[in-house]
């Protein structure tokens, strides 16, 4: 696992808030923390150190974080802090901006400026959940003069590159237990690329990004597009290229560079097979016909599914379902590669349309 975990229940009740406040001050820009729930505080926090980027998913009872001008003068790590709010609400006063932030909102804070952040649960004493991202300001390939226009502003994590960033951050938290320390620098670079592309998009200044960053973000958009459209049997490399307004040759070139040689068609085929495999192993779908599952994931001919499935997993779809549901051959089931993030994906509504 990458990073460390803090759980308030591992500390005596009377020491929980002070312990968490000290932890926050050590790992982030120093601030003054208060809470009307200090006597019965609860918090869970994970600290993921990904090279020069730090990610900290956290859930906690309402608290207030104030960083004064005096604190800035005494200690300034010169970081940008991006917050993705997942549950609850936050009132933020920063750099002349005052706003309220809700679920799936993003906002940016500069540690070189004072701020006042007040959190509130969706009910009295309810928990606030979010993911914080911190990185040195010098690493952001966007002018500080431009970024200051966004400080404290309510920004959306529900569409565009903001949604890509939000999805990646929540996936990092979900998969943290299985991540290896050797992966940390590469994952940190991905986060920084996504943050850079997101801010550049918001500022309409993508030209300030390096060609490498733009290419990496484009490939991530393409991967998300593929995942969301697996149900469409007409999803092919030419369709993917057209949806992103690039040539087919350019699609193949950047995909090859960013995916260690896997082609677009191979990824579509692999993800479809993984989705079918998950559905076949789902006891709640034991009575769903295999041809219906195949069609759900964009494979209209069962013969095509059977041939590809056997090539990938060594058994037919029918045999795999039987093994998975009765547990007769755990070795065969375990031998099948796991899908990214488990078997949680589901196809869009049948009326969904391909779009970039």
């Amino acid at each position: 696992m990458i990073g460390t975990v803090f759980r308030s229940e591992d500390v005596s009740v009377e020491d929980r808030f002070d312990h968490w406040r000290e932890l926050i001050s050590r790992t982030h820009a120093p601030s003054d923390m208060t809470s009307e729930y200090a006597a019965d505080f609860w918090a869970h926090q994970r600290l993921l150190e990904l090279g020069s980027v730090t990610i900290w998913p956290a859930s906690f009872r309402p608290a207030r974080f104030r960083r004064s001008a005096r604190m800035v003068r005494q200690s300034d790590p010169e970081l940008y802090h991006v917050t993705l709010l997942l549950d609850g609400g936050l009132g933020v006063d920063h750099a002349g901006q005052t706003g309220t932030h809700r679920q799936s909102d993003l906002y940016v804070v500069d540690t070189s400026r004072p701020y006042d952040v007040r959190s509130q649960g969706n009910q009295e004493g309810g928990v606030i959940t979010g993911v914080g991202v911190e990185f040195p300001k010098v690493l952001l390939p966007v002018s500080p003069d431009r970024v200051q226009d966004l400080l404290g502003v309510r920004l959306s994590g529900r569409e565009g590159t903001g949604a890509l960033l939000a999805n990646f951050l929540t996936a990092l938290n979900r998969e943290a237990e299985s991540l290896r320390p050797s992966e940390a620098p590469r994952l940190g670079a991905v986060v920084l690329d996504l943050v850079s592309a997101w801010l550049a998009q918001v500022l309409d200044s993508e030209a300030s990004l390096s060609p490498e960053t733009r290419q990496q973000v484009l490939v991530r958009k393409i991967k998300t597009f593929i995942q969301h459209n697996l149900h469409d049997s007409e999803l092919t490399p030419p369709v993917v290229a057209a949806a992103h307004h690039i040539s087919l040759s350019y699609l193949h070139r950047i995909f090859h560079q960013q995916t260690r040689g896997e082609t677009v068609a191979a990824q579509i085929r692999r993800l479809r097979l993984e989705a079918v495999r998950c559905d076949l192993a789902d006891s709640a779908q034991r009575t769903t016909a295999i041809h219906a599952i195949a069609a759900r994931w964009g494979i209209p001919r069962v013969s095509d599914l059977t041939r590809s499935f056997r090539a990938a997993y060594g058994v037919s779809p029918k045999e795999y379902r039987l093994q998975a549901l009765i547990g007769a051959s755990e070795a065969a089931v375990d031998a099948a590669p796991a899908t990214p993030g488990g078997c949680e994906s589901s196809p869009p509504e049948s009326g969904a349309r391909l779009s970039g």
Side-chain angles (χ1 to χ4, degrees), residues 54-77:
T54 301
I55 310 293
W56 52 288
S59 297
F60 52 92
R61 298 195 77 185
R64 185 174 186 177
F65 309 81
R66 283 178 287 188
R67 180 164 166 78
S68 65
R70 180 180 180 183
M71 289 178 172
V72 171
R73 290 193 299 270
Q74 290 176 336
S75 174
D76 181 13

Side-chain angles (χ1 to χ4, degrees), residues 64-346:
R64 185 174 186 177
F65 309 81
R66 283 178 287 188
R67 180 164 166 78
S68 65
R70 180 180 180 183
M71 289 178 172
V72 171
R73 290 193 299 270
Q74 290 176 336
S75 174
D76 181 13
E78 297 191 355
L79 304 172
Y80 282 130
H81 177 93
V82 177
T83 294
L84 166 66
L85 186 59
L86 298 174
D87 194 23
L90 291 173
V92 179
D93 293 335
H94 183 52
Q97 292 286 343
T98 299
T100 301
H101 304 264
R102 296 295 178 187
Q103 184 178 3
S104 298
D105 285 344
L106 291 153
Y107 69 89
V108 184
V109 163
D110 181 346
T111 63
S112 301
R113 295 169 176 249
Y115 57 75
D116 186 352
V117 178
R118 305 165 305 285
S119 59
Q120 181 179 1
N122 286 328
Q123 57 185 0
E124 181 65 27
V127 170
I128 294 87
T129 300
V131 183
V133 182
E134 289 183 335
F135 55 90
K137 293 191 289 186
V138 296
L139 297 183
L140 188 69
V142 179
S143 167
D145 292 338
R146 300 297 311 280
V147 176
Q148 72 176 2
D149 296 334
L150 299 179
L151 297 177
V153 174
R154 179 182 179 183
L155 303 169
S156 175
R158 289 174 287 276
E159 65 269 332
T161 312
L164 284 177
L165 173 61
N167 290 338
F168 192 79
L169 293 178
T170 53
L172 271 179
N173 184 37
R174 187 174 62 244
E175 302 295 338
E177 297 290 344
S178 62
L179 298 176
R180 299 185 299 271
S182 60
E183 298 173 307
R186 181 168 57 86
L187 291 172
V190 172
V191 172
L192 190 58
D193 282 338
L194 286 173
V195 171
S196 301
W198 166 61
L199 290 176
Q201 182 186 61
V202 172
L203 292 166
D204 195 26
S205 60
E206 283 91 343
S208 65
L209 300 178
S210 69
E212 292 78 12
T213 294
R214 290 199 299 272
Q215 186 181 98
Q216 289 165 4
V217 172
L218 175 58
V219 170
R220 186 157 297 280
K221 287 182 179 179
I222 290 169
K223 288 181 176 180
T224 300
F225 174 82
I226 290 172
Q227 186 71 59
H228 288 172
N229 289 283
L230 289 174
H231 67 287
D232 195 310
S233 61
E234 297 182 359
L235 180 67
T236 60
V239 170
V240 173
H244 293 84
H245 312 291
I246 58 177
S247 69
L248 183 59
S249 60
Y250 183 64
L251 170 67
H252 287 315
R253 184 165 69 254
I254 63 172
F255 214 78
H256 179 83
Q257 293 171 351
Q258 298 293 331
T259 60
R260 299 180 180 179
E262 185 176 43
T263 65
V264 179
Q267 180 162 116
I268 293 172
R269 180 169 56 252
R270 174 176 59 81
L271 292 176
R272 281 176 170 158
L273 289 176
E274 288 172 349
V276 169
R277 183 184 65 82
C278 286
D279 285 355
L280 291 174
D282 182 3
S283 60
Q285 301 187 56
R286 64 169 67 91
T287 60
T288 304
I290 290 177
H291 70 81
I293 291 176
R296 175 191 302 163
W297 292 107
I299 308 174
R301 290 187 292 273
V302 175
S303 59
D304 291 344
L305 170 66
T306 300
R307 183 174 59 255
S308 299
F309 199 95
R310 187 181 293 278
Y313 304 130
V315 294
S316 71
K318 183 177 180 179
E319 291 167 336
Y320 179 85
R321 169 180 264 179
L322 182 63
Q323 293 169 354
L325 294 181
I326 69 175
S329 178
E330 291 187 8
V333 174
D334 291 342
T339 53
C343 296
E344 300 176 356
S345 60
S346 59

